Each structure stands twice: as C-alpha cells, then as structure tokens.
Amino acid sequence: MTAFDELERGDIIWGTDPLSDKGRPMLILGTPRFPTHGLQLITVLISTKTYHEESLTLRDDDYEGEPLGERSHVLPWALATLNSAADVEFHMTSLVDERIADVARQLNGYISS
C-alpha cells in the first residue's frame, strides 16, 4: 500500500467522496504541501457513468499500471481536496503523463472561463 505522503500526480486512489457516503476512484492532479496544513491531495472524481458529455473516457493505454476494472470516465469539473490519510483507502493505479495533461487542460478551461 502506498503511504499518503508518497502519493503523487497521476495516481488513482480509492478515496472519500465528498458528494456521497461511499468512496470512489479519484485522480490526483496536485500534491501541495502547506506549512500549517501539511500535504493535501487535489483530485478529480472518476465515474463509470457515461451520461456526462464532457467527461474524459479512460482507455487501456491511458494507464501506467493496470486499468481500472470497468470503463471509467474522469470528471474534470468535479474537484475534491483530501486532507489526511483517513480520506484515502488505497492506491489503485496511475495514468500516463499525456492523459493527466488532457485532464488538467480541460479543468483549466472550466476554472478560467
């Protein structure tokens, strides 16, 4: 198992979903460390639902490790910040740099418009 402070950009973790009572896969886009708050994980949610028109579908070659079990879709507009190891159940896999950049570009489009 990967320790909280060893997680990095591109890792997919099973984390606490701020929008529901259950966990979900999340893609880590940033790992800033603050003097008074410590490490925080800036993540976007991942879903198996296909009804989100703007979601980015993950293909098998988008993964640096093993693909997730079901066809999954990154929701770049759905941000969540995780503040402690208690928010992360386990590390699942990682994405390749090119796909991480696609997600970041789409997220940047949402927050800069």
Side-chain angles (χ1 to χ4, degrees):
M1 179 157 159
T2 305
F4 184 76
D5 61 349
E6 294 175 356
L7 293 167
E8 54 190 32
R9 179 181 171 98
D11 285 339
I12 295 176
I13 50 105
W14 187 269
T16 302
D17 182 351
L19 304 176
S20 76
D21 294 332
K22 57 185 179 179
R24 72 163 51 241
M26 300 175 163
L27 170 64
I28 299 171
L29 290 179
T31 58
R33 190 174 298 272
F34 300 100
T36 56
H37 296 290
L39 176 67
Q40 295 187 335
L41 304 178
I42 299 171
T43 70
V44 290
L45 306 183
I46 298 175
S47 176
T48 56
K49 307 290 188 231
T50 59
Y51 56 82
H52 301 291
E53 292 177 10
E54 298 294 318
S55 67
L56 296 172
T57 301
L58 295 176
R59 305 168 303 252
D60 287 349
D61 61 348
D62 290 332
Y63 295 94
E64 195 167 89
E66 290 295 316
L68 295 173
E70 292 184 57
R71 177 67 67 201
S72 297
H73 312 274
V74 178
L75 312 177
W77 61 88
L79 288 164
T81 300
L82 306 181
N83 298 307
S84 74
D87 293 326
V88 178
E89 282 196 44
F90 55 89
H91 178 270
M92 300 177 77
T93 189
S94 300
L95 292 185
V96 296
D97 290 341
E98 295 82 19
R99 199 56 167 159
I100 300 164
D102 292 341
V103 174
R105 269 192 297 280
Q106 192 165 337
L107 169 60
N108 189 43
Y110 289 122
I111 61 176
S112 63
S113 61

